[in-house]
Each structure stands twice: as C-alpha cells, then as structure tokens.
C-alpha cells in the first residue's frame, strides 16, 4: 500500500496536489488530525492500495515527538511518503491578497507575514522528512499538477523520471534542480549577429555549436558523468532527477546541450523529458 502525506504552507497548493492524487486513484482525506492517521490507515488499508492525507498547521500535534510517534505507529510494512509543497513568502502574501482568505494563524493581532513565517516553523519537522519538495512559486495550476503527477507516478511505477532543463543564470536558478552544469564557459552564439535571433532548437545554432570542440567535449563528459551515477540515483528509490544546464540567457547553449543529452539518454532510459524554462516564457 502507498501512503502519501501532503503538507505545506497555506496558499502553496496543497488542495491542488490532493486533487491530482485523487485523479490518480488515491483515497484522499483532507485536513485529517495527524493523531488519527494510524486509525485511518488500519481502517482502510484492506480496501485501498493508495491513500493520500492532507495535513496542515491546523491539525499538527503539539510537539515534534508526537509527530514522530504517530508516524512510527503506522503498520510496519508501510512507509509514508511526504509531499511538501511551499512557495516564497512574497508569493503566498500575494495569493492571500488576491483571494482575501484568512490565514489559519492570523487570528487576533498576528500580522499576515508573521503568520506565514510561524507556519513554516511549525511545519519544519514535516518538511525535513519530505520525500518530495515542490516550490510552487513560479508554477501555474497546470504546471503544479504536472509536477505532482510526474513525481508520484515515478515512485508508483518504480521508475526514475530523468529531466533535462535548460535555463539562464541571469533569470535565477530553478528551484527544482537536483544538479547543475554551467555552460557559460562555452562559445556563445549570442555574439554571432546572424545567430542571435535563433535558439538552440534552430538548425543554424545547432550547426555552429556542433562544430565547437569545447561543446562536444562538454556534452560527452556530462553524458559520461550521468551514465556513471544514474544507476545509483535509481537504487536510492528516487522518482525524479532534474539536471539543469545553464548558460547566460537560456536561449542557445543550454537549450542545445539539453536537447543533446535528452536524445542520448532516450536510447538507454525509459523516462526522459527535456524542458526549456526561458523558451517557455516567450
């Protein structure tokens, strides 16, 4: 049986995540007091293969020791996976402003920002034990749903989903990355006037980079590194591995290299995705 505890700060997207899990066939319970979790599991485990429970700051035990005892009291053959969803303070503030909802900790005179910060402190024991952590700050509802679905399905099918993501360092580091390779040291098509309007998906840029020995060496060595260590990531019971390839603007070098890596690993790995963060903004 699979048990997923969905947690995170209010406004981060827990409700969306629970809805996704319900669509995936999970028996879902929202806002269950965590002290009742063992009772629920024992009551339904014979009838359901997959259970998801949403736990937030309103139904936490009084101390961290109580949380640990509750999780330890689950059936011995069952290990709970924790999906922790969060967002930046600024994004959560904006979301509460847009919906005009009352934060569960902002009763009385506690300002909203202080309530948001206090909530994270209270949820930190769950965050530290998380199987998956998702920062929803930059995600649409559709993108967050996709992230939840892919990570959970990867674990359920016992498959590691390998994602190559191109990005531009000048736009900030993506929060979902597990490891990063920096391509800013490579020849840059941006400084070639005839190539600047194109991206790494276009043939002129691909031809230019394919003839650069440094680029060829870079791609080969990243392929070799990942081929060596990918089996160990798979054995660690992970469901998702996101490899970031960054260049300055995320238009040329990183896009080309991510595509090359995706093409190479599709020949030896079942689940491979290639995403281009900056191209998606256009």
């Amino acid at each position: 049986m699979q048990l997923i505890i969905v947690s995170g700060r209010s406004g981060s997207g827990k409700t969306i995540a629970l809805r996704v899990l319900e669509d995936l066939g999970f028996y879902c319970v929202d806002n269950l007091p965590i002290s009742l979790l063992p009772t629920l599991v024992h009551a339904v485990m014979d009838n359901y293969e997959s259970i998801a429970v949403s736990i937030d700051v309103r139904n936490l035990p009084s101390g961290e020791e109580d949380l640990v005892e509750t999780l330890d009291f689950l059936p011995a053959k069952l290990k709970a996976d924790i999906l922790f969803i969060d967002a930046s303070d600024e994004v959560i503030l904006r979301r509460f402003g847009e919906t005009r909802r009352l934060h569960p900790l902002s009763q009385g005179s506690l300002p909203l920002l202080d309530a948001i910060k206090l909530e994270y402190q209270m949820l930190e024991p769950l965050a530290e034990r998380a199987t998956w952590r998702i920062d929803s700050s930059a995600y649409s509802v559709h993108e967050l749903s996709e992230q939840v679905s892919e990570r959970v399905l990867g674990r359920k099918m016992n498959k590691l989903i390998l994602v190559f993501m191109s990005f531009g360092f000048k736009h900030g580091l993506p929060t979902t990355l597990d490891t990063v390779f920096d391509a800013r040291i490579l020849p840059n098509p941006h400084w070639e006037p005839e190539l600047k309007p194109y991206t790494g998906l276009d043939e002129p840029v691909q031809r230019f980079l394919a003839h650069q020995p440094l680029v060829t060496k870079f791609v080969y060595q990243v392929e070799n590194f990942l081929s060596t260590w990918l089996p160990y990531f798979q054995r660690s019971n992970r469901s998702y591995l996101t490899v970031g390839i960054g260049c300055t603007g995320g238009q040329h070098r990183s896009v080309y290299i991510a595509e090359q890596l995706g093409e190479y690993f599709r020949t030896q790995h079942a689940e491979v995705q290639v995403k281009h963060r900056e191209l998606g903004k256009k």
Side-chain angles (χ1 to χ4, degrees):
M1 191 183 96
Q2 184 178 21
L3 169 64
I4 295 180
I5 296 173
V6 180
S7 190
R9 289 195 285 183
S10 304
S12 62
K14 298 190 305 298
T15 301
I16 294 170
L18 202 65
R19 191 182 308 136
V20 170
L21 293 173
E22 188 170 31
D23 291 342
L24 291 176
F26 281 74
Y27 176 81
C28 295
V29 179
D30 192 12
N31 260 349
L32 181 77
I34 197 168
S35 59
L36 297 180
L37 181 59
T39 302
L40 171 71
V41 171
H42 282 91
V44 305
M45 63 185 301
D46 291 335
N47 299 318
Y48 297 95
E49 293 183 0
S50 303
I51 302 173
V53 176
S54 173
I55 293 175
D56 63 25
V57 72
R58 290 169 292 181
N59 45 38
L60 283 176
S62 57
E64 184 175 347
E65 299 79 10
D66 295 331
L67 170 63
V68 174
E69 287 181 6
T70 299
L71 295 178
D72 289 344
F73 195 65
L74 294 172
K77 63 180 180 180
L78 178 64
K79 179 183 180 299
D81 289 316
I82 298 176
L83 170 61
F84 192 87
I85 303 177
D86 202 11
S88 67
D89 293 350
E90 294 77 12
V91 168
I92 293 178
L93 275 171
R94 189 186 72 236
R95 289 173 180 172
F96 270 97
E98 291 171 349
T99 61
R100 299 189 178 182
R101 291 171 50 212
L102 186 65
H103 191 280
L105 295 180
S106 62
Q107 308 288 343
S109 59
L110 189 64
L112 178 56
L113 182 58
D114 291 344
I116 290 171
K117 293 181 180 295
L118 175 61
E119 184 177 25
Y120 185 82
Q121 295 176 14
M122 296 175 67
L123 292 171
E124 195 168 5
L126 276 173
E128 290 176 348
R129 291 169 172 78
T131 309
W132 309 284
R133 294 189 65 157
I134 298 177
D135 186 330
S136 68
S137 299
Y139 289 149
S140 66
V141 171
H142 173 74
E143 290 169 332
L144 177 58
S145 299
E146 186 179 68
Q147 285 284 318
V148 173
S149 179
E150 289 177 349
R151 291 169 189 246
V152 172
L153 283 176
R155 171 62 62 85
K156 196 170 186 179
M157 296 183 297
N158 198 27
K159 291 181 179 178
L160 183 141
I161 299 173
L162 178 60
V163 181
F164 294 102
M165 178 182 290
S166 72
F167 69 95
F169 277 99
K170 73 176 185 179
H171 301 295
L173 202 67
T175 58
T176 56
L177 300 184
D178 296 299
T179 188
V180 178
F181 295 94
D182 189 345
R184 289 176 292 182
I185 55 172
L186 302 176
N188 191 353
H190 176 83
W191 302 116
E192 303 292 330
E194 70 277 11
L195 298 178
K196 185 176 178 179
Y198 296 106
T199 74
L201 297 178
D202 298 314
E203 195 272 337
V205 171
Q206 293 174 349
R207 185 171 60 249
F208 171 84
L209 291 172
H211 286 83
Q212 301 294 326
L214 277 180
V215 175
T216 302
K217 184 176 183 179
F218 185 95
V219 172
Y220 169 77
Q221 292 192 338
V222 172
E223 289 173 350
N224 188 50
F225 176 85
L226 292 175
S227 294
T228 300
W229 294 105
L230 190 57
Y232 294 92
F233 282 109
Q234 290 175 303
R235 291 172 200 162
S236 67
N237 203 27
R238 296 177 68 114
S239 62
Y240 218 77
L241 178 65
T242 303
V243 179
I245 310 295
C247 62
T248 304
Q251 301 293 318
H252 300 104
R253 294 165 292 182
S254 61
V255 172
Y256 170 79
I257 293 169
E259 289 288 335
Q260 293 295 303
L261 293 171
E263 182 179 344
Y264 174 81
F265 280 97
R266 284 190 183 102
T267 64
Q268 54 183 281
H269 193 74
E271 298 288 338
V272 176
Q273 300 176 11
V274 179
K275 299 181 179 182
H276 305 298
R277 188 185 70 171
E278 317 311 349
L279 299 190
K281 295 178 180 177
K282 289 190 170 184

